[in-house]
Amino acid sequence: MLALYLNDKLELRDLPRPEPQPGEVLIRVRLAGVCRTDLEVLQGYHGFRGVPGHEFVGQVVAPEDSSWLNRRVVGEINLACGQCLRCRQGLAHHCQQRQVLGMKGRNGTFAQYLTLPAANLHSVPEEVADDAAVFTEPLAAALQVLETAAFSPDSRVLVVGDGSLGLQISWILALHGAEVHLVGRYPEHLELAGAYGVSTYLEPEMTQKDFDVVVEASGSPSGLELALARVRPRGAVVLKSTYSGGYPLNTADLVVPEVRLLGSRCGPFPAALRLLQKDWIDPRPLIYRRYPLAQGLEALAYAQEKGVLKVLLECGE
Amino acid sequence: MLALYLNDKLELRDLPRPEPQPGEVLIRVRLAGVCRTDLEVLQGYHGFRGVPGHEFVGQVVAPEDSSWLNRRVVGEINLACGQCLRCRQGLAHHCQQRQVLGMKGRNGTFAQYLTLPAANLHSVPEEVADDAAVFTEPLAAALQVLETAAFSPDSRVLVVGDGSLGLQISWILALHGAEVHLVGRYPEHLELAGAYGVSTYLEPEMTQKDFDVVVEASGSPSGLELALARVRPRGAVVLKSTYSGGYPLNTADLVVPEVRLLGSRCGPFPAALRLLQKDWIDPRPLIYRRYPLAQGLEALAYAQEKGVLKVLLECGE
C-alpha cells in the first residue's frame, strides 16, 4: 500500500498492508486530515518513526467476521493497555503504555490502510459526509474545553488563535450560548468565526480584558502571555497548545489573581459526531486544499505555509 | 510610636500614631508574625515603602464610639475600594485599586499601632491565645487550598515544602480526612507534620507519584518541577508560591496529562478562627523565636536564616 513514512525525513513509500491483530480491524482510509501536531511530529516531536497522521475517516474492510465490516468509521487515537492502574481508574487516555495513532508506537492515517482496535471506533452517521467526518477528532478536542473549564452560558470567553482548532473552539462555545471573542492574525480566518456570531479582532485591535475564561489555541508563547493578561481574577486559562521552547511563567501571574491554568487534550467523539450530524457545526469551510495521497509530500509542505487551515489527503484507492 | 519602616532599607523609627479615617479603627498591635512574603517585600517585591508586616493580633483602642472598642481582633489584609466592577462582582480581594496591609499603599503590622477598616476585622474567641491568633491569616491562606482545588476525603495529596505554610496546609488536609504526604528539607519540620498523621519525606527519599493533588508551597522553582512530575494525569497542582525569577514551564507538562495548575492566595478568616478555637490546629509549635519590636531588625535578620519557621514580634507597649 501507499503511505507517507517518517524516518529521518518524510518519504512516500510502498509498505505492506497491515494485518489486524485480535480485537482489531483493518480500515481503508478515505480521507485523512493534517493537524499542526502532525507537523510537530515531522519536526521530531515524540521521536516518532513510522506513518504519521491521526485524523481520518475510513471504511472497515477486515476481518470478515467483524460486526464493523463495511461500516464507515472514525477512530480514537489513544490505544491503552487496559490493564494498568491508570486504565483501571478510568484514565485510559493517560495509560503509560499507550500507543498513539501516528505519534507513538503506531502507524497512522497518512496511508491507504491502517489498523485499530474495534474498541476505538465510532460509526459515522449517514448524513455526515466524509469531508465533515474527517474533522471528528479535532472537533472532539475542541469540545474538550467544555469539560476542562466550567463554562456557563453567560460566560464571557476569549479564544486566542484563529487556526483550525481555535476556530472550532470558538464555534462550540458560541453554540453553548456564551459571549465569545476570538483574536487572531488573518482576516479571512476571523470571518469564519463571525458566521457563528463570534466577535473577532486582529491582535493589535484587541483591547478587551477581564474575561471569565480564555482558551489559548495559538500555538505560540505570545498567545499564553496574552491569555494571562486578559483573564479576570479567579478566571481560567485553558491551554490547548504546546510550545517546544517552553514558556517563562511568572508564577505571580497565577497566584496573585488566583487564576487557573488548565491543560486540555483529546475529547469526546460521540458529541462531535452529534454536532456534525445535526449540521450545527460545518467544518468544511476550514478546508484549504485536498491532495491525493501520492502527492502527500507536496500536501505537507503546503500545510506548513503561514495562514493555511485544513489540508486533506485523499487516501482511497 | 515605634515601627519598622522600609525605605531604601529597613529601619527602626519613631512614627506618628496613625489616625483612623471614617469607617476605620485604631488597633494596638499585640503580636505580629513574620511571613516569607514580608521578606520578599524587604527585597523590593511590590516596590513597597512604609511599615511592612500583615500578620497580627491586636486590640481596638479607638474610636471611642466603635462597637469594636476594646475587642481583640485579627484583620483581613486587602482593602478594596468597594465601588469598581470587580468589587461589585464579588472579587473585592482582587480590586485593582486595593491597598494591601504592609505590601501596597498601607502601613502594616510591624508597629505599635495600625489602622484598618472595621469591615476587615474578625473578633478573636476568648479561648484563642494571642500566639495562636496571630496565625489566623496564614492559616486562612492554607485553608484556601480547599477552595482552590476539589479535594475529597479520599484524595491522595502531596504537599511540597516544609516551611510554615506547607506545614499548616498539610495539617488542614489531614483534618479533611485526606491521605497526606509532605516532602521537605528539615527533619525537625517534618516531625511537626507527623504529629497530624502526615507521611513525611526528605526530598531525596521521595519516590511516590500519581498524586491526585500536589500543593506547591516550597517557594522554589524546583518545588514546582517536583509537583508537576508527581501529579497524576487529570490531577491538580495548587500553586501557593511565587518565584521572583519565573519558572520555565513546558506547556506539554500540562496539556498532555491534562493537569490543572491553580493559583491560590488569601483565605477565609472565620474558618481559621474556628479551627483555632476548637484547638484542632495548634500552630504554636511553629514559633521559633519572639522578639520585642525594638529588636525588630534582629528579628527580621533571624527570620531570613535557613530553616527558621515563624518569628513573632511583640509590639505591645
Side-chain angles (χ1 to χ4, degrees):
Chain A
M1 68 168 187
L2 202 61
L4 291 175
Y5 193 91
L6 177 65
N7 202 343
D8 289 328
K9 60 189 184 66
L10 189 68
E11 301 167 338
L12 194 65
R13 285 198 187 177
D14 187 25
L15 296 178
R17 184 183 295 189
E19 288 289 333
Q21 301 302 304
E24 294 186 348
V25 299
L26 180 69
I27 298 164
R28 187 165 54 219
V29 180
R30 294 160 69 114
L31 281 177
V34 179
C35 163
R36 188 166 51 213
T37 305
D38 300 322
L39 304 179
E40 287 173 3
V41 165
L42 300 190
Q43 302 305 318
Y45 183 63
H46 280 320
F48 177 71
R49 292 290 172 267
V51 177
H54 61 280
E55 301 176 1
F56 79 99
V57 57
Q59 186 166 24
V60 176
V61 294
E64 287 293 329
D65 62 353
S66 168
S67 64
W68 289 93
L69 193 68
N70 294 324
R71 284 162 76 179
R72 201 159 55 107
V73 296
V74 291
E76 304 210 24
I77 70 172
N78 293 288
L79 289 78
C81 76
Q83 310 296 323
C84 69
L85 182 63
R86 286 188 185 170
C87 284
R88 286 182 280 123
Q89 288 175 335
L91 292 171
H93 280 196
H94 298 284
C95 167
Q96 284 178 300
Q97 270 69 53
R98 77 181 181 278
Q99 300 175 331
V100 185
L101 192 64
M103 280 183 242
K104 194 174 166 196
R106 189 85 184 189
N107 280 336
T109 65
F110 297 166
Q112 288 183 299
Y113 294 90
L114 61 85
T115 56
L116 267 184
N120 283 47
L121 302 183
H122 297 268
S123 222
V124 177
E126 200 181 346
E127 304 90 324
V128 184
D130 280 351
D131 55 2
V134 71
F135 285 90
T136 306
E137 196 277 339
L139 192 56
L143 276 160
Q144 184 65 10
V145 301
L146 295 174
E147 176 81 21
T148 303
F151 288 90
S152 81
D154 67 349
S155 291
R156 205 168 143 265
V157 188
L158 173 67
V159 179
V160 181
D162 58 359
S164 181
L165 183 60
L167 287 166
Q168 289 175 82
I169 291 168
S170 77
W171 299 344
I172 277 167
L173 294 171
L175 279 182
H176 200 61
E179 178 191 319
V180 185
H181 303 252
L182 174 71
V183 58
R185 295 184 177 177
Y186 301 95
E188 65 275 24
H189 296 187
L190 296 177
E191 272 177 31
L192 297 174
Y196 285 74
V198 171
S199 304
T200 61
Y201 316 84
L202 291 171
E203 264 186 42
E205 300 163 2
M206 173 71 203
T207 56
Q208 307 207 9
K209 56 183 188 173
D210 266 13
F211 290 95
D212 299 315
V213 183
V214 182
V215 182
E216 152 45 16
S218 75
S220 144
S222 65
L224 180 51
E225 191 178 350
L226 181 67
L228 290 170
R230 299 306 170 91
V231 69
R232 69 163 169 80
R234 297 210 167 164
V237 172
V238 178
L239 199 52
K240 294 297 286 189
S241 305
T242 58
Y243 323 122
S244 51
Y247 177 81
L249 178 69
N250 181 351
T251 53
D253 286 346
L254 296 183
V255 173
V256 175
E258 299 184 280
V259 160
R260 294 168 282 138
L261 182 58
L262 310 172
S264 178
R265 206 175 46 136
C266 301
F269 274 49
L273 287 166
R274 282 191 290 270
L275 293 181
L276 293 171
Q277 183 175 17
K278 286 287 188 189
D279 207 23
W280 287 330
I281 299 272
D282 182 357
R284 287 173 292 188
L286 297 173
I287 301 169
Y288 266 42
R289 286 194 195 164
R290 302 158 193 246
Y291 291 82
L293 179 59
Q295 293 174 30
L297 295 177
E298 199 180 323
L300 271 290
Y302 176 64
Q304 292 180 57
E305 290 183 15
K306 275 194 194 307
V308 170
L309 291 174
K310 187 60 69 182
V311 172
L312 298 183
L313 294 174
E314 295 165 340
C315 303
E317 289 159 306
Chain B
M1 68 169 187
L2 202 60
L4 291 174
Y5 193 91
L6 177 64
N7 201 343
D8 290 328
K9 61 189 183 68
L10 189 68
E11 302 167 337
L12 195 63
R13 287 199 185 175
D14 187 24
L15 295 180
R17 183 185 295 189
E19 288 290 332
Q21 301 302 305
E24 295 187 348
V25 299
L26 179 69
I27 297 164
R28 185 164 55 218
V29 180
R30 293 161 69 115
L31 281 177
V34 179
C35 162
R36 189 167 47 213
T37 305
D38 299 321
L39 304 179
E40 288 173 2
V41 166
L42 299 191
Q43 302 305 316
Y45 183 62
H46 281 318
F48 177 72
R49 293 289 172 268
V51 177
H54 60 280
E55 300 175 2
F56 79 99
V57 56
Q59 186 166 22
V60 176
V61 294
E64 286 295 328
D65 61 353
S66 168
S67 64
W68 289 93
L69 193 68
N70 293 324
R71 285 162 76 179
R72 201 159 54 108
V73 295
V74 291
E76 304 211 24
I77 70 172
N78 293 288
L79 288 77
C81 76
Q83 309 297 323
C84 70
L85 184 62
R86 287 188 183 169
C87 283
R88 284 181 282 126
Q89 287 176 334
L91 292 170
H93 281 196
H94 298 285
C95 167
Q96 284 178 299
Q97 269 69 53
R98 76 182 182 279
Q99 301 177 330
V100 185
L101 192 63
M103 282 183 242
K104 194 175 168 195
R106 188 86 185 188
N107 280 336
T109 65
F110 298 167
Q112 287 182 300
Y113 293 90
L114 62 85
T115 57
L116 267 183
N120 282 47
L121 302 183
H122 296 268
S123 220
V124 177
E126 199 181 348
E127 304 91 323
V128 184
D130 281 349
D131 56 2
V134 72
F135 284 90
T136 305
E137 195 278 338
L139 192 57
L143 276 160
Q144 184 65 9
V145 302
L146 295 174
E147 175 81 19
T148 303
F151 288 89
S152 80
D154 67 350
S155 291
R156 207 168 143 265
V157 188
L158 174 65
V159 179
V160 181
D162 58 359
S164 181
L165 183 60
L167 288 165
Q168 289 175 83
I169 291 168
S170 77
W171 299 345
I172 277 167
L173 294 171
L175 279 181
H176 199 61
E179 179 190 319
V180 185
H181 303 252
L182 173 72
V183 58
R185 295 183 175 177
Y186 301 96
E188 65 275 24
H189 296 187
L190 295 177
E191 271 178 31
L192 298 175
Y196 285 74
V198 172
S199 303
T200 62
Y201 316 85
L202 290 170
E203 264 186 41
E205 300 164 0
M206 174 71 202
T207 57
Q208 307 208 10
K209 56 181 188 172
D210 265 12
F211 290 94
D212 299 315
V213 183
V214 183
V215 182
E216 152 47 14
S218 76
S220 145
S222 66
L224 180 50
E225 190 178 350
L226 180 68
L228 289 170
R230 300 306 171 89
V231 69
R232 69 162 169 82
R234 297 209 168 167
V237 172
V238 178
L239 199 52
K240 294 297 286 189
S241 303
T242 57
Y243 322 125
S244 51
Y247 177 80
L249 179 69
N250 181 350
T251 53
D253 286 347
L254 297 182
V255 173
V256 176
E258 299 184 280
V259 161
R260 291 168 285 139
L261 182 58
L262 311 172
S264 178
R265 206 175 48 138
C266 302
F269 274 49
L273 287 166
R274 282 191 290 270
L275 294 180
L276 293 171
Q277 183 175 18
K278 285 289 188 188
D279 208 23
W280 286 330
I281 299 272
D282 182 356
R284 288 173 291 189
L286 298 173
I287 301 168
Y288 266 42
R289 285 194 196 163
R290 303 161 194 245
Y291 290 83
L293 179 59
Q295 293 174 31
L297 295 176
E298 199 180 323
L300 272 290
Y302 176 65
Q304 291 180 58
E305 290 183 16
K306 276 192 192 307
V308 170
L309 291 173
K310 188 59 68 181
V311 173
L312 298 183
L313 294 174
E314 296 164 341
C315 303
E317 290 161 303

